[in-house]
Coordinates of all heavy atoms in Angstrom, one line a residue:
Chain A
M77 N 86.6 93.8 80.8 CA 86.8 92.4 80.4 C 85.6 92.0 79.5 O 84.5 92.2 79.9 CB 86.8 91.6 81.8 CG 87.6 90.4 81.8 SD 89.4 90.6 81.5 CE 90.1 90.7 83.1
Y78 N 86.0 91.5 78.4 CA 84.9 91.2 77.4 C 85.3 89.9 76.6 O 86.4 89.5 76.7 CB 84.7 92.4 76.4 CG 85.9 92.6 75.5 CD1 85.8 92.1 74.1 CD2 87.1 93.2 75.9 CE1 86.9 92.3 73.3 CE2 88.1 93.3 75.0 CZ 88.0 92.9 73.7 OH 89.1 93.1 72.8
R79 N 84.3 89.4 75.9 CA 84.6 88.2 75.1 C 84.7 88.6 73.7 O 83.8 89.2 73.1 CB 83.4 87.1 75.3 CG 83.8 85.8 74.8 CD 82.7 84.7 75.1 NE 82.6 84.5 76.5 CZ 83.3 83.7 77.3 NH1 84.3 83.0 76.7 NH2 83.1 83.6 78.5
D80 N 85.7 88.1 73.0 CA 86.0 88.4 71.6 C 85.0 87.6 70.8 O 85.0 86.4 70.9 CB 87.4 88.1 71.3 CG 87.7 88.5 69.8 OD1 87.8 89.7 69.6 OD2 87.8 87.6 69.0
E81 N 84.2 88.3 70.0 CA 83.2 87.6 69.2 C 83.8 86.5 68.3 O 83.2 85.4 68.2 CB 82.5 88.6 68.3 CG 81.7 89.7 69.0 CD 80.3 89.3 69.3 OE1 79.7 88.7 68.4 OE2 79.8 89.6 70.4
E82 N 84.9 86.8 67.7 CA 85.5 85.9 66.7 C 86.1 84.6 67.4 O 85.8 83.5 67.1 CB 86.5 86.6 65.9 CG 86.8 86.0 64.6 CD 87.7 86.9 63.8 OE1 87.5 88.2 63.8 OE2 88.7 86.4 63.3
T83 N 87.0 84.9 68.4 CA 87.8 83.8 68.9 C 87.2 83.2 70.2 O 87.6 82.2 70.7 CB 89.2 84.2 69.3 OG1 89.1 85.2 70.3 CG2 89.9 84.8 68.0
Q84 N 86.2 83.9 70.8 CA 85.6 83.6 72.1 C 86.6 83.7 73.2 O 86.3 83.3 74.4 CB 85.0 82.2 72.1 CG 83.9 82.0 71.1 CD 82.7 82.8 71.5 OE1 82.1 82.7 72.6 NE2 82.2 83.7 70.6
A85 N 87.7 84.4 73.0 CA 88.7 84.6 74.1 C 88.2 85.7 75.0 O 87.5 86.6 74.6 CB 90.0 85.0 73.5
V86 N 88.5 85.6 76.3 CA 88.2 86.6 77.3 C 89.3 87.6 77.3 O 90.5 87.2 77.6 CB 87.9 86.1 78.7 CG1 87.7 87.2 79.7 CG2 86.8 85.1 78.7
L87 N 89.1 88.8 76.9 CA 90.2 89.8 76.7 C 89.9 91.0 77.6 O 88.8 91.3 78.0 CB 90.3 90.3 75.3 CG 90.5 89.2 74.2 CD1 90.4 89.8 72.8 CD2 91.8 88.5 74.4
C88 N 91.0 91.7 77.9 CA 90.9 92.9 78.7 C 91.2 94.2 77.9 O 92.3 94.3 77.3 CB 91.9 92.9 79.9 SG 91.9 94.4 80.9
D89 N 90.2 95.1 77.8 CA 90.4 96.3 77.1 C 91.1 97.3 78.0 O 90.5 97.8 79.0 CB 89.0 96.9 76.7 CG 89.1 98.2 76.0 OD1 90.1 98.9 76.1 OD2 88.1 98.6 75.4
E90 N 92.4 97.5 77.7 CA 93.2 98.2 78.7 C 92.8 99.7 78.9 O 93.1 100.3 79.9 CB 94.7 98.1 78.3 CG 95.1 96.6 78.3 CD 96.6 96.3 78.1 OE1 97.3 97.3 77.9 OE2 97.0 95.1 78.1
D91 N 92.2 100.2 77.9 CA 91.7 101.6 78.0 C 90.6 101.7 79.0 O 90.4 102.8 79.7 CB 91.2 102.1 76.7 CG 92.4 102.3 75.7 OD1 93.5 102.5 76.1 OD2 92.1 102.2 74.5
K92 N 89.8 100.7 79.1 CA 88.7 100.7 80.1 C 89.0 100.2 81.5 O 88.3 100.5 82.4 CB 87.5 99.8 79.6 CG 86.7 100.4 78.4 CD 85.5 99.6 78.2 CE 84.6 100.1 77.1 NZ 83.6 99.1 76.7
C93 N 90.1 99.5 81.6 CA 90.5 98.9 82.9 C 90.9 100.0 83.9 O 91.7 100.9 83.6 CB 91.6 97.9 82.7 SG 92.2 97.2 84.2
I94 N 90.3 99.9 85.1 CA 90.7 100.9 86.1 C 91.6 100.3 87.2 O 91.9 101.0 88.2 CB 89.4 101.5 86.7 CG1 88.5 100.4 87.2 CG2 88.7 102.5 85.8 CD1 87.3 100.9 88.0
G95 N 91.9 99.1 87.1 CA 92.8 98.4 88.1 C 92.1 98.3 89.4 O 92.7 98.6 90.5
C96 N 90.8 97.8 89.4 CA 90.1 97.6 90.7 C 90.4 96.2 91.2 O 90.1 96.0 92.4 CB 88.6 97.9 90.5 SG 87.8 96.6 89.6
W97 N 90.9 95.3 90.4 CA 91.3 94.0 90.7 C 90.1 93.0 91.1 O 90.3 92.0 91.8 CB 92.4 94.0 91.8 CG 93.4 95.0 91.4 CD1 93.9 96.0 92.2 CD2 94.1 95.1 90.2 NE1 94.8 96.7 91.5 CE2 95.0 96.2 90.3 CE3 94.1 94.4 89.0 CZ2 95.8 96.6 89.2 CZ3 94.9 94.8 87.9 CH2 95.8 95.9 88.0
M98 N 88.9 93.4 90.7 CA 87.8 92.5 90.9 C 88.1 91.2 90.2 O 87.7 90.1 90.6 CB 86.5 93.1 90.4 CG 86.0 94.2 91.3 SD 85.3 93.6 92.8 CE 83.6 93.2 92.2
C99 N 88.7 91.3 89.0 CA 89.0 90.1 88.2 C 89.9 89.1 88.9 O 89.7 87.9 88.9 CB 89.6 90.5 86.8 SG 91.0 91.6 86.9
I100 N 91.0 89.7 89.5 CA 91.9 88.9 90.2 C 91.3 88.2 91.4 O 91.5 87.0 91.6 CB 93.1 89.7 90.7 CG1 94.0 90.2 89.5 CG2 94.0 89.0 91.7 CD1 95.1 91.1 89.9
M101 N 90.4 88.9 92.1 CA 89.6 88.4 93.2 C 88.7 87.2 92.7 O 88.3 86.4 93.5 CB 88.9 89.5 93.8 CG 88.3 89.2 95.1 SD 87.4 90.7 95.6 CE 85.8 90.3 94.9
S102 N 88.3 87.3 91.5 CA 87.3 86.3 91.0 C 87.8 85.1 90.3 O 87.1 84.1 90.1 CB 86.4 87.1 90.0 OG 85.9 88.3 90.5
C103 N 89.1 85.2 89.9 CA 89.6 84.1 89.1 C 90.0 82.9 89.9 O 91.0 83.0 90.7 CB 90.8 84.5 88.3 SG 91.6 83.2 87.3
P104 N 89.3 81.7 89.8 CA 89.6 80.6 90.6 C 91.0 79.9 90.3 O 91.5 79.1 91.1 CB 88.5 79.6 90.3 CG 88.0 80.0 89.0 CD 88.2 81.5 88.8
L105 N 91.6 80.3 89.2 CA 92.8 79.7 88.8 C 94.0 80.6 89.1 O 95.2 80.2 89.0 CB 92.9 79.4 87.3 CG 91.7 78.5 86.8 CD1 91.5 78.7 85.3 CD2 92.0 77.1 87.2
G106 N 93.8 81.8 89.5 CA 94.9 82.8 89.8 C 95.7 83.1 88.6 O 96.9 83.2 88.7
V107 N 95.1 83.3 87.4 CA 95.9 83.5 86.2 C 95.9 84.9 85.7 O 96.2 85.2 84.6 CB 95.6 82.5 85.1 CG1 96.1 81.1 85.5 CG2 94.1 82.5 84.7
I108 N 95.3 85.8 86.5 CA 95.3 87.3 86.1 C 96.3 88.0 87.0 O 96.4 87.7 88.2 CB 93.9 87.9 86.2 CG1 92.9 87.1 85.4 CG2 93.9 89.3 85.8 CD1 91.5 87.5 85.6
Q109 N 97.1 88.9 86.4 CA 98.1 89.6 87.2 C 98.0 91.1 87.0 O 97.4 91.5 86.1 CB 99.5 89.2 86.7 CG 99.8 87.7 86.8 CD 101.0 87.3 86.0 OE1 102.1 87.4 86.5 NE2 100.9 87.0 84.8
R110 N 98.6 91.8 88.0 CA 98.6 93.2 87.8 C 99.8 93.6 86.9 O 100.9 93.1 87.1 CB 98.9 93.9 89.2 CG 97.7 93.8 90.0 CD 97.8 94.7 91.3 NE 98.5 94.0 92.3 CZ 98.8 94.5 93.5 NH1 98.5 95.8 93.7 NH2 99.5 93.9 94.4
E111 N 99.5 94.4 85.9 CA 100.6 94.8 85.0 C 101.6 95.7 85.7 O 101.2 96.6 86.4 CB 99.9 95.6 83.8 CG 100.9 96.1 82.8 CD 101.7 95.0 82.2 OE1 101.1 94.1 81.5 OE2 102.9 95.0 82.4
R112 N 102.8 95.4 85.6 CA 103.8 96.1 86.4 C 104.1 97.5 86.0 O 104.3 98.4 86.7 CB 105.2 95.4 86.4 CG 105.4 94.4 87.5 CD 106.8 93.9 87.5 NE 106.8 92.5 87.2 CZ 108.0 91.8 87.0 NH1 109.1 92.5 86.9 NH2 107.9 90.5 86.8
K113 N 103.9 97.7 84.6 CA 104.2 99.0 84.1 C 103.3 100.1 84.7 O 103.8 101.1 85.1 CB 103.9 99.0 82.5 CG 105.1 98.5 81.8 CD 104.7 98.3 80.3 CE 104.1 96.9 80.1 NZ 103.9 96.5 78.7
T114 N 102.0 99.8 84.8 CA 101.1 100.9 85.2 C 100.5 100.6 86.5 O 99.9 101.4 87.2 CB 100.0 101.0 84.2 OG1 99.3 99.7 84.1 CG2 100.5 101.4 82.8
K115 N 100.5 99.3 86.9 CA 99.8 98.8 88.1 C 98.3 99.1 88.0 O 97.6 99.1 89.0 CB 100.3 99.5 89.4 CG 101.8 99.2 89.7 CD 102.0 98.8 91.1 CE 103.4 98.3 91.2 NZ 103.9 97.8 92.4
K116 N 97.9 99.3 86.8 CA 96.4 99.7 86.7 C 95.7 98.8 85.7 O 94.6 99.1 85.3 CB 96.3 101.2 86.3 CG 96.4 102.1 87.5 CD 95.2 101.9 88.5 CE 95.4 102.5 89.8 NZ 94.6 102.0 90.9
V117 N 96.4 97.9 85.1 CA 95.8 97.1 84.0 C 96.0 95.6 84.3 O 97.0 95.2 84.7 CB 96.4 97.5 82.6 CG1 96.0 96.5 81.6 CG2 96.0 98.9 82.3
A118 N 94.9 94.9 84.1 CA 94.9 93.5 84.4 C 95.6 92.8 83.2 O 95.2 93.0 82.0 CB 93.5 92.9 84.6
S119 N 96.6 91.9 83.5 CA 97.3 91.3 82.4 C 96.9 89.8 82.4 O 97.0 89.1 83.4 CB 98.8 91.4 82.8 OG 99.6 90.6 82.0
K120 N 96.5 89.3 81.2 CA 96.1 87.9 81.1 C 96.3 87.4 79.7 O 96.5 88.2 78.8 CB 94.6 87.7 81.6 CG 93.7 88.5 80.6 CD 92.2 88.2 81.1 CE 91.8 86.8 80.8 NZ 91.8 86.4 79.4
C121 N 96.2 86.1 79.6 CA 96.4 85.4 78.3 C 95.3 86.0 77.3 O 94.2 86.1 77.6 CB 96.2 83.9 78.4 SG 96.0 83.1 76.8

Side-chain angles (χ1 to χ4, degrees):
Chain A
M77 212 57 98
Y78 70 101
R79 191 175 298 277
D80 185 75
E81 298 269 320
E82 203 177 313
T83 63
Q84 295 297 303
V86 176
L87 303 176
C88 177
D89 178 343
E90 302 187 356
D91 292 332
K92 283 191 182 168
C93 177
I94 51 172
C96 71
W97 314 125
M98 288 286 277
C99 51
I100 291 180
M101 193 182 88
S102 310
C103 177
L105 303 160
V107 291
I108 305 176
Q109 303 168 85
R110 288 191 276 179
E111 182 55 68
R112 268 191 242 169
K113 275 172 276 191
T114 58
K115 298 232 173 182
K116 278 293 166 203
V117 170
S119 167
K120 64 180 289 300
C121 168

